[in-house]
Amino acid sequence: MTDAPILGPDSPYRNAPLPPSECFDEWMGEALREATDAQTADEVPVGAVVVHDGKVIGRGRDRRVELRDPTAHAEVLAMREAALALGDWRLEGCALFVTLEPCPMCAGAALMARLPLLVYGANNDKFGALITRTHLADTPAWNHRMAHVGGVRAEECAALLKDYFSRKRRGLSA
């Protein structure tokens, strides 16, 4: 995990009711199930879950093709479901687990939703907005801070994507 120090004793999130890091693998497993469902539907295999008080309250998988919607990324869909479950657009006290480092749109949506923690699996070499291409969550001008931890079950997350795009290049579907 690459960004673990942000959750240390000096973190502004230390008192937030967030899942302990020992649970990160378990929750990423839930996100991986969503990603597998996306792949089965011949969508890019990215999955996400929002966790609140130890329970998944929002699930999402990429559905851009199915919904013909460029914003139907796994993270956005999971946050929408979680907001409905809580009855509030603010996802304070929640954690978002996603199999791929979010793009700028999804990282921005997570910041706007006031998520205190985002945990991701594989780095996103093309559009990663937390570490790989830019550091959106670390911009000091924002009025909200979001801790982020990368690399959780990264090999599994990356393998799903690599397999999907390899099959696509060979003209195969899910």
Side-chain angles (χ1 to χ4, degrees):
M1 291 188 266
T2 56
D3 303 327
I6 200 161
L7 297 175
D10 296 327
S11 169
Y13 314 101
R14 66 186 176 284
N15 296 322
L18 299 171
S21 58
E22 305 86 63
C23 298
F24 287 4
D25 281 354
E26 174 187 347
W27 298 122
M28 189 60 71
E30 292 292 320
L32 277 161
R33 280 188 268 293
E34 294 296 321
T36 301
D37 289 348
Q39 184 171 31
T40 300
D42 207 20
E43 297 269 4
V44 176
V46 177
V49 296
V50 176
V51 176
H52 182 262
D53 289 336
K55 297 183 188 93
V56 173
I57 62 165
R59 293 178 177 277
R61 60 175 176 81
D62 267 27
R63 295 177 63 195
R64 292 180 297 168
V65 175
E66 174 190 344
L67 298 177
R68 295 174 182 87
D69 178 356
T71 69
H73 289 206
E75 303 95 320
V76 169
L77 298 176
M79 287 187 285
R80 285 178 184 162
E81 190 172 285
L84 288 172
L86 290 177
D88 193 351
W89 64 268
R90 291 176 194 86
L91 299 180
E92 296 168 328
C94 295
L96 174 63
F97 291 81
V98 60
T99 57
L100 181 65
E101 178 186 3
C103 71
M105 176 185 72
C106 294
L111 277 164
M112 296 302 291
R114 307 297 194 264
L115 273 164
L117 176 64
L118 190 150
V119 179
Y120 67 91
N123 286 345
N124 184 341
D125 293 334
K126 292 186 178 182
F127 294 103
L130 296 177
I131 294 295
T132 309
R133 288 291 172 193
T134 188
H135 296 84
L136 192 65
D138 300 326
T139 303
W142 307 141
N143 67 339
H144 174 68
R145 298 287 175 260
M146 179 176 64
H148 48 90
V149 177
V152 176
R153 296 179 71 169
E155 293 80 17
E156 292 171 79
C157 297
L160 265 179
L161 290 158
K162 184 176 180 180
D163 177 63
Y164 173 81
F165 286 111
S166 173
R167 293 176 62 80
K168 281 293 189 188
R169 282 190 294 278
R170 291 181 300 178
L172 303 171
S173 62

